Amino acid sequence: MTSWFVFNKYRLLLQELSDGEYAIPQAVNAPIPPSENISPIQVFAATESKHCVMAFPVDVPAPEGYTFYDLRQSYFVLAEADYQMAGKCHELVYWDQRTRYCGHCGTPQTIRDGLYKECPSCHQQSWPQLTTAIIVLISRGDDVLLVRSRDFRGRYYGLVAGFVETGESLEEAVRREVKEETSLTIRNLRYFGSQPWPYPSGLMVGFTAEYADGELQLQASELSEGGWFHYNQLPEIPQKMSIARRLIDHWTEEKKKTISYETD
C-alpha cells in the first residue's frame, strides 16, 4: 500500500470519507495519474512498519470523492504525523520542480533515494535547501510585544520574525531583526524551539527575550501595526499550527501560573 501526497500548488489532495473526515489517499495506484513529464518522488520505501510514501504535483481538478485542501489548514483535519509528512513531501516537490537541471552544467537530473540529486554528467550533487528564519517573543513585565506584518492576510497579530542572513548566528539575527523592525534592544535571549515551515521550504527557530531599552518605532516597510499587550488582553493571534502561537501560549500560561502563585 502506498500513501499518495499529491499537490496542486499549495493544496493537498485529501480523500473525503463517509463520516465527514478527510485522509491521505492510500492505494496501490495514485488517485490522479501524474503527467507524462512528472516522476513521483519516493519519499519513503515500504517497510514492515510503514507504507511507501510517494509525492508529486498536478495541475488538474480533484476527482470525485477527493478534494484539494489548503496545506496549512490541513493541520486541523489530519493527524499530526500526516500533516508533518505532507509538509516534507511538499518541500521535496517544490525543490524537485526548481532543480530539474544541474546548476553546474545544465544536464537533466532526477532525485536519488528521495534525498538528493546527482548530475549524471558532471556528478555535481544538490540537496534541498532550507531557508532559516528566527521568531522571538519579547516580554516586558506582564506585557508582550505583538506586531502585524504587512504580509499577513488576516487581522491577527504575531511576533517579530525575519530571515537569517549569510554570515550571522541565530542570536545575531534575532537582535538585528528586533532592532531593525522595532528600534528596541533585548536581553535574556533564550532558545525556545524550532518548527519546519514548508511554505515553501523554511525552518522557523523560536526564541524568548526580555525588553531592555528603547522606544518602540515600527519599521513601516515591514510592519503595519504593533504594540505592547497585557497577557490577558491579547488581540487575535496566530493559529495553533504555528510556533508563534506556541510561544505566545507558553508565555501566557507561565504568566498566569506566576500570578496565581503570588496571590495564593
Side-chain angles (χ1 to χ4, degrees):
M1 192 70 68
T2 299
S3 295
W4 295 97
F5 289 80
V6 182
F7 300 92
N8 187 323
K9 297 183 174 61
Y10 283 96
R11 296 182 298 156
L12 171 67
L13 184 71
L14 297 181
Q15 184 175 3
E16 301 172 345
L17 305 181
S18 58
D19 57 2
E21 301 291 320
Y22 297 90
I24 300 297
Q26 294 186 359
V28 174
N29 297 315
I32 300 176
S35 303
E36 290 185 7
N37 62 334
I38 297 294
S39 297
I41 301 168
Q42 182 173 286
V43 182
F44 286 106
T47 66
E48 293 183 0
S49 61
K50 65 174 63 175
H51 292 325
C52 177
V53 172
M54 303 291 287
F56 63 92
V58 296
D59 58 2
V60 297
E64 184 177 355
Y66 298 83
T67 187
F68 278 109
Y69 212 96
D70 181 82
L71 180 56
R72 293 194 193 194
Q73 296 305 311
S74 70
Y75 171 88
F76 298 102
V77 299
L78 294 177
E80 184 172 356
D82 287 338
Y83 172 74
Q84 294 290 346
M85 182 59 69
K88 180 182 180 69
C89 290
H90 185 269
E91 287 188 334
L92 287 172
V93 167
Y94 181 87
W95 168 68
D96 179 46
Q97 292 293 291
R98 285 154 180 78
T99 55
R100 290 293 185 87
Y101 301 93
C102 174
H104 182 68
C105 70
T107 301
Q109 56 184 3
T110 57
I111 292 180
R112 298 184 59 178
D113 300 327
L115 294 173
Y116 70 100
K117 294 184 177 183
E118 182 174 332
C119 175
S121 178
C122 70
H123 305 293
Q124 174 96 353
Q125 291 187 352
S126 60
W127 298 76
Q129 300 296 305
L130 287 177
T131 302
T132 305
I134 56 83
I135 185 166
V136 57
L137 181 144
I138 305 169
S139 61
R140 186 181 65 180
D142 292 340
D143 296 336
V144 61
L145 178 63
L146 299 177
V147 296
R148 288 198 69 250
S149 169
R150 294 193 177 278
D151 293 332
F152 288 174
R153 300 178 190 175
R155 291 295 307 165
Y156 66 90
Y157 283 70
L159 303 174
V160 173
F163 293 108
V164 180
E165 295 182 354
T166 301
E168 69 181 355
S169 68
L170 297 173
E171 294 81 3
E172 289 169 339
V174 173
R175 293 189 175 91
R176 175 184 54 76
E177 286 290 344
V178 171
K179 190 66 173 178
E180 288 178 354
E181 295 192 0
T182 69
S183 297
L184 303 179
T185 58
I186 55 176
R187 61 188 178 89
N188 294 337
L189 180 62
R190 296 182 180 179
Y191 173 75
F192 175 82
S194 63
Q195 177 186 36
W197 197 245
Y199 309 107
S201 301
L203 176 67
M204 297 291 294
V205 185
F207 292 86
T208 62
E210 296 176 359
Y211 165 82
D213 189 35
E215 291 293 328
L216 180 61
Q217 297 181 26
L218 301 180
Q219 185 179 23
S221 61
E222 296 287 339
L223 305 175
S224 59
E225 297 178 73
W228 297 99
F229 293 85
H230 193 272
Y231 71 87
N232 61 6
Q233 295 180 321
L234 299 180
E236 183 180 350
I237 55 177
Q239 295 178 316
K240 287 188 176 292
M241 85 274 287
S242 68
I243 192 171
R245 180 60 177 268
R246 284 170 46 201
L247 277 157
I248 296 170
D249 285 349
H250 176 79
W251 178 78
T252 54
E253 289 167 8
E254 290 300 309
K255 292 303 298 183
K256 290 175 182 178
K257 288 179 183 177
T258 300
I259 299 300
S260 176
Y261 176 78
E262 292 175 349
T263 56
D264 285 345

